[in-house]
Amino acid sequence: MKVINKTVLAMMTTAALFSAQSVFAKTVAITMTAMEVDVQTNGKAVGGADVMAAWTFDGSIPGKPVRVAEGDTVDFTLVNPATNKNSHAIDFHAAQVSVLDEFAPVKPGESKHFTFEAKVPGVFMYHCGASPMVQHIARGMYGVIIVEPKDKTNYPKADREYVLIQQQYFPDVENYGAMLNDSNAWKGSLINGKVLHYDPVHDPKGDHDVLEAKPGERVRIFFVNANINLPVALHPIASIWDRVYINGNPKNTLYGVQTYNVAVAEAVTVDLVTPINDKAATGIAIVDHSMNAALRGAITVLVSKKDADPKKGHGELILK
């Protein structure tokens, strides 16, 4: 009888556990619209044009961040308006679905709806998968989906968070053959859609913002390598990555890292802690240490100061 009672108790406990997990899991509805529009890129800084004929999710490069919790269901709809000239699609790297079904191209005037469970925690790229994929990504159809882990062990709460997505800038977005075969076709690096986006040092005439934090704060960067062909040597000049969460998963944590190599279509979460000193402001430059990328746009300045903007690094301002 005792054995039976123990068995029943174990079954009840397990059922309660799964029930509790289902309560915390939720369905997150996401709708994106494919938009073929002109987008400002600051391309003149590297010999291109400031405006690019872009293909986008919702009119911006990159697309909006998607943020869910591990175990959540993503209820997704992609709308491709009849006014567009091209088919478009979505490929969520966080999804485990059918490439021939959910990720299939959507013709102008049609839409695609599907759901998937975000089973694996981390930070993942999403992008258009329609052919030619290289052109759809290079024109701006990419973004990030963050899947927050249930297990927060070795994952301390961050004081501020920022999204940085790097992409090669191609002045000639029509020539997708050159994107594949000509190593000189790309002329610069876009960070969140713009060359030297957060770098007033190398482009002082431009209208550039910077990231901000207060001294002693833990700053978390969700980084995506959306390049077509090139890895990224992610390095914080004048700092050290306090923690590197490979693929954004705290179960894969490295400590005290100077440079972390991020493969094409890979994403990573990295933490740094800003210095505490008496200076009015301290600058840290987050760069691709491949100099051909850094000096052509892949530099992001993080300023640590006591009067840092309290809104930056929170809410919608994790990506600007």
Side-chain angles (χ1 to χ4, degrees), residues 3-280:
V3 174
I4 294 177
N5 288 342
K6 287 182 178 179
T7 302
V8 172
L9 180 61
M11 292 174 64
M12 292 175 61
T13 302
T14 302
L17 176 61
F18 279 108
S19 176
Q21 288 176 344
S22 64
V23 169
F24 288 109
K26 60 186 181 299
T27 296
V28 181
I30 302 291
T31 298
M32 294 184 189
T33 301
M35 301 177 66
E36 299 172 2
V37 294
D38 290 343
V39 174
Q40 203 280 339
T41 61
N42 197 36
K44 282 186 178 178
V46 289
D50 275 347
V51 176
M52 180 173 73
W55 299 341
T56 72
F57 293 110
D58 296 321
S60 66
I61 304 176
K64 61 188 176 185
V66 175
R67 194 161 194 171
V68 299
E70 180 185 354
D72 285 352
T73 295
V74 177
D75 186 305
F76 180 76
T77 302
L78 175 65
V79 178
N80 192 5
T83 51
N84 284 342
K85 296 180 180 180
N86 304 277
S87 293
H88 297 291
I90 189 81
D91 177 348
F92 280 105
H93 286 195
Q96 299 174 60
V97 293
S98 170
V99 68
L100 299 178
D101 186 356
E102 287 87 344
F103 291 174
V106 181
K107 296 179 180 179
E110 298 182 357
S111 64
K112 165 72 73 171
H113 172 263
F114 63 88
T115 63
F116 69 90
E117 182 183 349
K119 297 180 180 180
V120 179
V123 55
F124 303 85
M125 181 181 179
Y126 70 75
H127 61 85
C128 181
S131 181
M133 189 187 300
V134 60
Q135 189 179 32
H136 286 253
I137 297 175
R139 280 180 179 259
M141 299 193 83
Y142 55 84
V144 61
I145 173 169
I146 301 165
V147 182
E148 288 288 339
K150 288 180 181 178
D151 184 357
K152 302 291 186 178
T153 305
N154 297 325
Y155 199 63
K157 181 177 175 58
D159 297 295
R160 295 178 195 252
E161 300 174 325
Y162 291 103
V163 169
L164 296 178
I165 304 179
Q166 184 171 328
Q167 167 63 287
Q168 291 166 274
Y169 168 67
F170 296 88
D172 186 359
V173 292
E174 297 291 343
N175 191 351
Y176 64 85
M179 296 174 184
L180 292 173
N181 301 308
D182 184 357
S183 60
N184 296 314
W186 73 285
K187 300 300 180 183
S189 290
L190 304 174
I191 298 294
N192 292 352
K194 292 183 180 180
V195 175
L196 298 169
H197 195 155
Y198 310 101
D199 182 14
V201 176
H202 292 87
D203 187 20
K205 295 181 181 179
D207 181 19
H208 302 293
D209 204 352
V210 296
L211 310 187
E212 294 184 20
K214 291 184 178 181
E217 287 190 324
R218 176 173 295 275
V219 179
R220 180 159 294 154
I221 306 293
F222 302 107
F223 182 86
V224 176
N225 179 3
N227 282 339
I228 300 302
N229 303 308
L230 302 176
V232 172
L234 191 63
H235 172 72
I237 298 177
S239 187
I240 294 174
W241 297 127
D242 181 70
R243 301 184 187 209
V244 173
Y245 310 97
I246 301 172
N247 202 63
N249 190 333
K251 291 183 179 179
N252 309 320
T253 304
L254 305 175
Y255 300 88
V257 178
Q258 60 180 320
T259 303
Y260 183 75
N261 205 46
V262 188
V264 174
E266 186 182 5
V268 66
T269 302
V270 289
D271 285 359
L272 61 78
V273 178
T274 53
I276 299 176
N277 54 43
D278 295 328
K279 294 182 180 180

